[in-house]
Structure formats: structure tokens, C-alpha cells
Amino acid sequence: MQPNRAPGLAAPAIQITEDEYEKFYEYFYRRTGISFSGKKEYFVEKRLLERIAKTGSDSFKAYFTLLRFQASGEELQHLVNLMTVNETYFFREDYQFDALVRGILPEITRTRRPGGTLRIWSMPCSTGEEPYSIAIQILENWAQADEFAIEITGSDIDSRVLADARKGVYGNRSLQRLSPELRKKYFRRVGDDQFEIHEELRSSIEFSIANLSDPIHMHRYRAMDVIFCRNLLIYFDDTSRRAAVEALYECLNPGGFICLGHSESMSRMSSMFLPRKFGDTIVYQRPIDQD
């Protein structure tokens, strides 16, 4: 029951105290590994207040109780979707895709028999441009593509972007780096500024939700040969970054490779990987186990 209020007076606006913000920050950090800098406090608080209003909670305390103890975890997912920023396009940092087909895959398959499986994981995949770019790069530029069963998985913590990735519909901004030939070959126009990935390519990639800071989620991803984890770890602090790197290490086959973003360096996070140079990029390899 709402308290009595003089006619015409609106309910008082909910305020989030410094202690309450700190409680939320610690909880969100533990669940996602994402660390917000002080400059983002307004951004975080604004979105937190949006969810408080949307759920009809009458205080931060009531909302925080819902967030922590909701069995389905649906509210946490809504909040994650609001807090994460997703901006990408096809063939972003394409020198790593060149390294994939010119160096990484040839090295991995040198000791593999044709017909075997290659597993490539894009995490975070955002709205799907990266895993689709990987598939197109392999189809167009790796002569051995037909000799192996190639499994490409795209994962993200944001359920909304995964839904968009599965649809595979993009505007000109996302396709700006694709040649007219590739657009014609792999897309069909479905609107004035809308292009849909062909069904055959769209259905060849599996999309799934994954939280790099959740051991249960990460246990599903094993025996990967290549992981693209670009421009994610910059949002983590040193502690969560090290934990994430250890989790990614366990996801890779011995001898497998991980590609980071151009501003990220594994040497600052972990000594578990070997730096390798392919063309114009540095990637990182899980050492091959020695008997």
C-alpha cells in the first residue's frame, strides 16, 4: 500500500546513496568481472534507476533484493544488457583475420588429419559481425577450408545482441569494409539500409550466452583451437582480468591461440601464454604440453 500523499504530489524520486552504489558495484563486479571507473558512475546510476523504475521497486533496497535472489536471473540479464556497450563492424582489425588464414590455421592443421574438427570461438561476439567475418575470411582465403569440419561459436553476456546476431541483418555502417562482391555473395538486401546474411552461412554459426566470470558458463567451452577475445578485458580490473585469462587458457587446446584487441597485451596479464607474431599482429599461444 502506498503512503498517503497530498493530491497532485508525485512520489519522491528514488535516490541511490554512496553506500548503496558501492554494494551494487561490488555485486555486479563479482557476477560479471566488469569494473566501472569513477567516470562511469553517472552512466551506471542512470541505468540502475531505469531498472528500479521498470520493475516497480520502491527503493534501491527492494530492487537489490530482487536482483540478488531472483531464481531465474532474468533481472540481472536485463541489467547486463543495459550496462554493456556493443559497437562493431565486419572485418574490424582485419589483420588478425589475415593472420588466422595465413599463419594460425596452417600451423594448427599441420599435424592434423583432414576430416578433423577445428573449433573457433568469438567471445564477446556482440551482434555477430566478428564470427561472420571469420567464416567469410576462411571461405574466401583458406584453401584447406573444405578439408576440415570448422565449428565457429559466437558468445556474449548480452542476450539482446545475441538475438540480433542470430537474425544476421545489418546496415551499411556494419558493412562499410566489405567489397561489393562480398556483399553480393553473402548478403541479400531486405530494406533500404538492411542486408541479411545468407541462411547457409547464418545457420553454420552457433550463438550462445557466456559470462567470462562465471565458472559454470565457462566449463561449457573446451577444446577450442582459436579464441578471439578482443576489446573485452579492458573493462576488467587486474584481479578479474587474471581470472578471465586463466579461464580462457583452460578453454584452449594445447597449442591453441588467442587473439586480443590492439590495445591489449597478454604480457601485462599473464605469463601462461607464448607471444607469437604472424604478419602484422601479435597473438598468444597456449604452450603444447610436453611429456
Side-chain angles (χ1 to χ4, degrees):
M1 179 179 293
Q2 296 293 327
N4 292 329
R5 187 178 297 114
L9 289 182
I14 293 173
Q15 301 290 327
I16 298 176
T17 67
E18 288 186 13
D19 286 345
E20 289 172 336
Y21 181 85
E22 194 63 30
K23 285 180 181 179
F24 168 75
Y25 173 92
E26 291 295 332
Y27 172 79
F28 195 77
Y29 169 75
R30 288 197 311 272
R31 294 300 301 270
T32 68
I34 297 173
S35 176
F36 295 112
S37 67
K39 294 179 181 179
K40 291 188 176 180
E41 186 170 336
Y42 174 76
F43 167 89
V44 173
E45 185 171 331
K46 181 180 179 183
R47 279 148 183 77
L48 190 52
L49 288 170
E50 285 179 28
R51 290 310 305 169
I52 291 174
K54 191 75 173 179
T55 58
S57 302
D58 59 6
S59 65
F60 171 83
K61 182 178 179 180
Y63 175 76
F64 196 48
T65 299
L66 167 69
L67 185 66
R68 288 183 298 161
F69 299 113
Q70 185 183 48
S72 67
E74 182 179 357
E75 182 52 34
L76 177 60
Q77 187 63 60
H78 281 306
L79 199 55
V80 165
N81 293 353
L82 270 181
M83 295 292 184
T84 49
V85 178
N86 300 281
E87 183 177 359
T88 187
Y89 48 85
F90 279 84
F91 288 92
R92 184 179 185 181
E93 298 178 23
D94 57 354
Y95 48 85
Q96 290 191 335
F97 300 127
D98 289 337
L100 177 70
V101 298
R102 297 180 187 277
I104 294 172
L105 292 180
E107 178 164 327
I108 290 172
T109 56
R110 192 168 54 216
T111 56
R112 303 259 186 108
R113 292 182 177 181
T117 299
L118 289 173
R119 294 184 175 89
I120 302 173
W121 188 25
S122 168
M123 166 65 183
C125 70
S126 189
T127 44
E129 287 91 335
E130 182 172 274
Y132 288 131
S133 295
I134 292 168
I136 293 171
Q137 179 75 358
I138 290 173
L139 289 170
E140 291 292 313
N141 297 294
W142 193 43
Q144 293 178 269
D146 291 334
E147 297 179 20
F148 295 90
I150 301 172
E151 297 178 359
I152 301 176
T153 301
S155 300
D156 205 283
I157 197 173
D158 187 333
S159 59
R160 294 175 309 169
V161 297
L162 288 172
D164 289 339
R166 292 185 185 102
K167 291 176 185 175
V169 177
Y170 302 96
N172 279 308
R173 189 168 183 273
S174 288
L175 303 179
Q176 59 186 303
R177 302 201 64 186
L178 284 182
S179 67
E181 291 76 20
L182 289 180
R183 287 198 190 197
K184 184 177 180 180
K185 187 172 182 178
Y186 293 104
F187 296 81
R188 70 182 185 95
R189 184 186 290 272
V190 292
D192 290 341
D193 182 32
Q194 296 288 291
F195 300 85
E196 182 183 62
I197 289 260
H198 286 174
E199 168 63 23
E200 184 177 358
L201 183 56
R202 196 165 68 248
S203 62
S204 70
I205 296 176
E206 178 184 350
F207 290 100
S208 60
I209 197 160
N211 180 347
L212 196 50
S213 295
D214 187 333
I216 296 175
H217 275 211
M218 295 301 289
H219 190 68
R220 304 171 190 165
Y221 303 95
R222 288 293 184 268
M224 296 294 171
D225 293 299
V226 185
I227 298 175
F228 283 79
C229 183
R230 307 193 299 179
N231 306 310
L232 171 64
L233 299 178
I234 55 176
Y235 296 103
F236 290 14
D237 68 0
D238 289 343
T239 301
S240 57
R241 196 176 290 128
R242 282 192 295 269
V245 167
E246 290 175 5
L248 291 169
Y249 181 92
E250 293 300 324
C251 293
L252 276 173
N253 278 326
F257 293 86
I258 183 167
C259 301
L260 300 179
H262 72 276
S263 64
E264 299 168 308
S265 173
M266 187 66 77
S267 62
R268 301 172 189 166
M269 296 180 269
S270 171
S271 60
M272 301 171 71
F273 292 85
L274 300 174
R276 297 287 307 278
K277 191 171 192 304
F278 291 103
D280 296 327
T281 189
I282 299 292
V283 299
Y284 302 92
Q285 184 178 29
R286 173 174 171 167
I288 297 173
D289 295 336
Q290 300 293 328
D291 294 329

